[in-house]
Amino acid sequence: MGFNFLELIERAQTGPILKKEDWDFDQITLTTKKLVQKYQLSWNREEVIPDQPVLADRIFQAALELAQTVGVYHASTGRVIRFDPAELEEGLRSAPQSLVMGEGADARTLYARQV
């Protein structure tokens, strides 16, 4: 299903125009607050890494909804690039599982964490 770089460029030129400050507050902050309530998410300071599959599922669903709702802000054009759920899920499936950072003797490979 994926799309190419030119399609992203097109979306960056045609997406909704929004000031960065409005996107930060109205989109990110307010939407996150609503999703935290909707998915009943909370944080326990005593538990650094929760080990509850149901909570992990709710966090994932909230994150997916956040990404779909707010999109990605393109600072150069002042526009928002939107993705539908299928595109987001395809992006997650096709994301690299490792990344080399640095070069030569300083190069290190970072790997995606597994549940």
Side-chain angles (χ1 to χ4, degrees):
M1 154 180 333
F3 47 86
N4 62 35
F5 183 71
L6 293 177
E7 188 170 340
L8 283 176
I9 297 295
E10 174 70 19
R11 291 184 191 192
Q13 299 298 321
T14 61
I17 296 174
L18 199 59
K19 291 181 183 174
K20 175 77 165 94
E21 298 78 24
D22 293 339
W23 188 76
D24 286 342
F25 184 73
D26 295 341
Q27 297 295 304
I28 298 296
T29 304
L30 296 179
T31 303
T32 299
K33 187 175 180 179
K34 289 176 188 174
L35 292 172
V36 164
Q37 292 172 348
K38 176 180 177 180
Y39 288 94
Q40 301 174 344
L41 303 176
S42 61
W43 179 53
N44 177 357
R45 292 177 185 265
E46 303 300 318
E47 190 175 15
V48 178
I49 301 174
D51 186 17
Q52 304 163 22
V54 173
L55 176 60
D57 288 341
R58 290 196 328 257
I59 291 170
F60 178 81
Q61 289 304 319
L64 196 58
E65 190 172 331
L66 178 68
Q68 180 187 354
T69 302
V70 303
V72 175
Y73 188 77
H74 190 270
S76 297
T77 62
R79 294 180 181 267
V80 178
I81 301 172
R82 301 251 190 242
F83 300 95
D84 66 41
E87 291 172 325
L88 292 169
E89 290 176 15
E90 174 64 25
L92 289 171
R93 275 192 292 281
S94 62
Q97 296 299 302
S98 64
L99 171 67
V100 177
M101 304 231 7
E103 54 187 51
D106 295 325
R108 297 293 181 266
T109 302
L110 305 177
Y111 298 95
R113 289 183 9 174
Q114 301 295 318
V115 178

